[in-house]
Amino acid sequence: MGVPVGSGGRVTRRTALLGAAGLTLTACAGSEQPDASPTGSSSATASPSATTSPSPSASTSPSPSATADALPPVERRVSLPQLMREDFDGGPVTRVRRQSVTDAYERWEVTYPAGGTTVSGILLRPRGRGPFPAVVLCHGYIEPSVYVTGQGLAREQDYLARAGFVVLHTDYRGHAASDPAGDVERESRLGYTRDALHAVASLKQLPAVDPERVAMLGRSMGGGVTLNALVAQPGAVRAAVVYASVSSLFTENLDQFTIPNRPESAQELARRFGTRRGAPDFYAGLSSRTYFDRVTEPVLIHHGTADDTCPPPWSRRTHRLLRAADVDSTLRLYEGEQHAFIPQWPLSMERTVRFLRRRLDA
């Protein structure tokens, strides 16, 4: 079953989003569930309920001309346009402790610099000489006070390393052994986006990595971080994969997660920056879809039709808007699959690796 494609030009889409951001705060039903994926995977697989093919007119590699367009103005320093003007140089990946050695890879606890912040994470290096393609992993929401390094994407770490990818899983600031995160950095997800982009730059400096073949994969909240990274720094990676992603509209995430679970955080945002009715530009400036016309990388989206944490219509809408912006976007829907992705996870990873190999080797 095909997924319909949205329409609308660059100016029209941004104007419409500003209007949507002006709605009053209204809490939606739903809770933010811990996003810790199981370390094991079921052997059962099933066919997806819907797929779409990439846009025939879209490029399979970043287009330098897209980054040459005039940047949107910085109305607020807490915004994606601010990230568009920042430098993401990363730095040395410091190996802290070797966790394990398998038949296919070594697994290390590491740290890397993200501007003035030190961020912890997990590095998996396949056996062999390299250079290898590489993937930065952006995990979903897990309460920072209970999070441990490398948590949330253990299955993906192992699968991708065994497939021949160097993997850097970022913990984000405020998690595990990373430096603390400020409230606004955390709730806006801009701090996490900075950490992901610095992880890309740091990964490219490793001798074992081919810097021309680096991708990003994000799950749930990490899907939103990945979309933020694509609009903030076109060309930083060659391809992106998002699983069961949060919405590309910031206010939908406020309604679904922040207001029911952290109402004081939503109130603080409104106090400091204004309500969505009074300051629509602020909320639009935190929504990746406002800037989808900047995305230059192919995107693969996975979503289960029974996901009650991140509703499937979110990914359908994100996909339609990406396609309307001439982005090479593919949406894979998995009938009956829930947010955790258990029965059809092996199938989704087979498709992920096939997508990454095709796009990174193009």
Side-chain angles (χ1 to χ4, degrees), residues 37-59:
S37 301
T39 55
S41 60
S42 170
S43 60
T45 61
S47 300
S49 64
T51 63
T52 66
S53 59
S55 170
S57 62
S59 171

Side-chain angles (χ1 to χ4, degrees), residues 49-354:
S49 64
T51 63
T52 66
S53 59
S55 170
S57 62
S59 171
T60 59
S61 60
S63 169
S65 63
T67 61
D69 292 342
L71 295 176
V74 177
E75 303 290 346
R76 309 266 189 158
R77 291 189 60 82
V78 179
S79 67
L80 287 166
Q82 172 63 34
L83 265 63
M84 297 172 193
R85 291 161 168 83
E86 296 180 9
D87 294 325
F88 296 92
D89 301 323
V93 177
T94 301
R95 299 187 182 192
V96 177
R97 183 176 73 89
R98 187 168 68 179
Q99 280 194 343
S100 62
V101 179
T102 74
D103 60 313
Y105 58 83
E106 290 187 352
R107 176 185 169 94
W108 290 80
E109 293 180 12
V110 299
T111 61
Y112 67 92
T117 301
T118 297
V119 179
S120 62
I122 293 292
L123 178 73
L124 292 87
R125 186 199 186 282
R127 292 183 177 272
R129 294 184 59 184
F132 302 99
V135 185
V136 168
L137 298 186
C138 302
H139 66 80
Y141 182 85
I142 302 171
E143 170 55 40
S145 63
V146 301
Y147 177 91
V148 297
T149 192
Q151 188 177 357
L153 288 168
R155 297 178 300 173
E156 289 78 2
Q157 294 168 25
D158 177 79
Y159 195 104
L160 290 167
R162 290 184 179 279
F165 294 86
V166 174
V167 176
L168 177 55
H169 173 112
T170 176
D171 289 334
Y172 308 133
R173 61 192 65 195
H175 293 69
S178 301
D179 288 345
D183 291 342
V184 174
E185 288 182 306
R186 182 169 53 248
E187 287 301 331
S188 69
R189 308 311 189 210
L190 295 181
Y192 300 165
T193 304
R194 288 185 173 95
D195 298 338
L197 286 167
H198 281 292
V200 170
S202 299
L203 195 55
K204 290 179 178 180
Q205 298 177 30
L206 293 177
V209 171
D210 180 348
E212 300 300 319
R213 294 192 294 158
V214 177
M216 187 177 290
L217 182 151
R219 190 181 194 287
S220 193
M221 179 188 74
V225 170
T226 298
L227 292 171
N228 284 352
L230 295 181
V231 302
Q233 296 290 314
V237 295
R238 289 280 301 277
V241 180
V242 293
Y243 267 88
S245 180
V246 297
S247 177
S248 55
L249 182 64
F250 184 77
T251 51
E252 287 187 330
N253 297 321
L254 269 181
D255 290 340
Q256 182 81 341
F257 304 123
T258 311
I259 292 174
N261 297 286
R262 298 180 301 281
E264 68 286 350
S265 296
Q267 292 165 5
E268 180 63 13
L269 285 177
R271 186 190 69 79
R272 291 185 60 177
F273 303 103
T275 65
R276 66 182 79 179
R277 181 180 295 278
D281 61 307
F282 171 70
Y283 296 94
L286 295 175
S287 300
S288 60
R289 68 172 59 168
T290 309
Y291 311 104
F292 277 172
D293 51 6
R294 288 176 48 79
V295 178
T296 58
E297 296 72 37
V299 180
L300 173 61
I301 303 171
H302 300 291
H303 214 117
T305 62
D307 190 333
D308 59 1
T309 299
C310 294
W314 286 357
S315 281
R316 292 191 183 101
R317 181 64 171 165
T318 291
H319 169 68
R320 287 198 296 268
L321 292 175
L322 285 169
R323 295 269 293 183
D326 291 327
V327 177
D328 182 348
S329 176
T330 302
L331 173 63
R332 295 281 190 176
L333 293 175
Y334 296 80
E335 187 65 35
E337 190 63 80
Q338 299 180 350
H339 190 62
F341 256 86
I342 302 296
Q344 299 176 73
W345 179 82
L347 173 61
S348 72
M349 286 304 295
E350 289 173 13
R351 289 173 167 157
T352 292
V353 168
R354 187 162 59 245

